[in-house]
Amino acid sequence: MWREIAPDKKIEVEVDGFKVVAYSFGEGDETIFCLNGGPGLPCDYLRDAHSCLIDKGYRVVAFDQLGTGASDRPTDAGLWTIDRYVEETETVRRKLGLGKVHLLGHSWGGWLAIDYALKYRDNLKSLILEDTVADMPHLVSELERLRAALGSETVAMMQKHEAAGTIDHPEYMAAITILNYRHVCRLPDWPAPVRRSLDDWNMGPYVTMQGPNEFLYTGNLKDWNRIPDLPGLDLPVLITVGEHDELTPACAMRMKNALPDAKLHVFRNASHMPFYENPEAYYAALTDFLAVHRSS
C-alpha cells in the first residue's frame, strides 16, 4: 500500500539548459518510470503512490516535469508542447542510465507515455496507461456526458460562464467542485500527496496544453488523437481506469481495442485515482502485470 517514503536519491538533470529534478527509490534492473498528470503538477501525488513498489524489488523513478515542483519554471508558453516533453522524458531516462523501463503514465502522463512509446518503443519493457485516453475529441464528448448528469439548468449555467469568460464565478466553480469529487477523487478527504501537488499547480502549462479546468479542453492538445497509431505498439500494455473516472472506461476501452496486446482493469468505487480510492484492487492488478513482464 502507498505511503510517503523519502527518495534514496534526488537528482538534477539538465534539459535544454533548464534544471529538471528526478527522484529515485530502491535499486535494481527493473525500473518503473513514472509520468504524472497535470500538465503543471509536481509529481508528489504519483511518486508517493508508487514508491512503495520498492517492496516488490522494483526501482521507482519519477520527476518534476519542467515548469513544476523543484524543477525550473520558465514562463515561455512555447515550451509547453507534448513533443518537447517527450524529449525531456527521454533525456531524463538516458541521463539517469535507466535502460529499458516499465513506463507508467497517469492522466496527462498517459498521453505523454503514448507519444513517448510511439517514438522510443525500444526503450520500454511494458507500458502502463492509467486513467488516461488516446483520443481527445472522444474524451470531450464523454466529459459532456458527465456534465449532463448535473442537470440541464446547471449545464446551461456552465455554458453561459464559459461563453462570457467568467469561469471564476462562484456558481461555476461550485459545479466544477461537484464534478471533481465525483470524477477526480471520491474520497471525502484527499490524501496529503494529492493536496501538495494541487496546491503547487503551475497553471501556465495546464492552460496552454489542456484548458482552464478538468472539464473544458481549449489548449493545444484538444485535437490530439493517437488511436490510429496504437496498433503499431507491439508491447505489453496495462490499462487501468476507475469506474467513475473523468477519463472514462469508454475512453479506456477505445485504447484497448486499438492495441495488439493490452489488458484492461476497471476499478469499482474509484474515479481518477484508484491507487488512493481502491488501493487493494489497484496494487494487485499492477503488481500481477509487472510480475509477468519482468526480465527473466
Side-chain angles (χ1 to χ4, degrees):
M1 294 299 169
W2 79 271
R3 63 189 189 278
E4 296 189 59
I5 304 170
D8 295 312
K9 298 176 184 176
K10 185 176 176 180
I11 308 157
E12 293 186 3
V13 178
E14 182 178 323
V15 180
D16 296 329
F18 297 109
K19 177 187 72 176
V20 169
V21 177
Y23 309 87
S24 179
F25 304 80
E27 298 179 350
D29 296 330
E30 296 287 329
T31 299
I32 302 167
F33 190 24
C34 298
L35 304 177
N36 61 272
L41 285 179
C43 69
D44 299 46
Y45 84 91
L46 194 67
R47 179 187 73 206
D48 289 348
H50 292 86
S51 56
C52 61
L53 293 171
I54 61 175
D55 297 342
K56 300 291 186 180
Y58 296 98
R59 181 183 181 188
V60 179
V61 175
F63 66 98
D64 288 329
Q65 298 160 9
L66 186 65
T68 75
S71 296
D72 284 343
R73 301 192 183 201
T75 57
D76 178 5
L79 294 167
W80 313 137
T81 69
I82 194 168
D83 291 340
R84 197 210 59 79
Y85 276 115
V86 166
E87 297 311 312
E88 173 179 299
T89 300
E90 171 57 8
T91 299
V92 173
R93 184 203 65 85
R94 181 169 39 81
K95 290 192 175 181
L96 267 58
L98 300 184
K100 296 184 72 166
V101 300
H102 302 280
L103 188 63
L104 186 155
H106 175 259
S107 194
W108 136 252
W111 315 337
L112 176 56
I114 288 170
D115 269 16
Y116 180 93
L118 288 169
K119 185 168 184 180
Y120 293 109
R121 185 261 174 266
D122 290 344
N123 297 337
L124 304 183
K125 294 181 178 179
S126 70
L127 181 61
I128 302 159
L129 300 175
E130 301 193 340
D131 313 281
T132 193
V133 305
D135 181 345
M136 218 64 76
H138 178 239
L139 168 62
V140 169
S141 69
E142 285 291 280
L143 292 174
E144 287 300 317
R145 181 176 62 80
L146 297 182
R147 295 204 324 177
L150 296 177
S152 59
E153 289 188 10
T154 299
V155 171
M157 174 272 292
M158 295 180 75
Q159 292 172 337
K160 174 194 72 176
H161 285 297
E162 288 162 3
T166 53
I167 61 174
D168 57 347
H169 191 283
E171 65 177 353
Y172 183 89
M173 296 305 299
I176 292 296
T177 297
I178 292 171
L179 288 169
N180 284 339
Y181 275 95
R182 285 183 181 181
H183 302 295
V184 177
C185 184
R186 294 171 73 86
L187 299 174
D189 298 306
W190 289 9
V194 176
R195 285 295 179 194
R196 274 202 312 276
S197 286
L198 293 176
D199 288 346
D200 194 22
W201 203 333
N202 182 350
M203 296 301 287
Y206 184 73
V207 172
T208 299
M209 300 179 74
Q210 180 166 317
N213 61 61
E214 289 294 281
F215 298 90
L216 182 60
Y217 280 63
T218 57
N220 61 32
L221 286 171
K222 62 182 173 60
D223 298 317
W224 181 86
N225 179 11
R226 294 292 180 264
I227 292 295
D229 304 308
L230 294 186
L233 278 181
D234 59 338
L235 78 166
V237 181
L238 173 66
I239 302 169
T240 66
V241 64
E243 65 172 327
H244 303 290
D245 206 320
E246 57 174 332
L247 278 58
T248 67
C251 296
M253 192 65 186
R254 195 168 178 83
M255 290 189 293
K256 182 182 185 300
N257 288 340
L259 287 159
D261 183 12
K263 295 185 179 300
L264 170 60
H265 284 268
V266 180
F267 299 113
R268 293 178 57 81
N269 303 316
S271 57
H272 198 51
M273 298 189 184
F275 31 83
Y276 293 119
E277 299 165 288
N278 188 351
E280 294 85 359
Y282 170 78
Y283 288 113
L286 177 59
T287 56
D288 285 353
F289 174 83
L290 288 166
V292 171
H293 299 293
R294 293 181 79 132
S295 298
S296 54

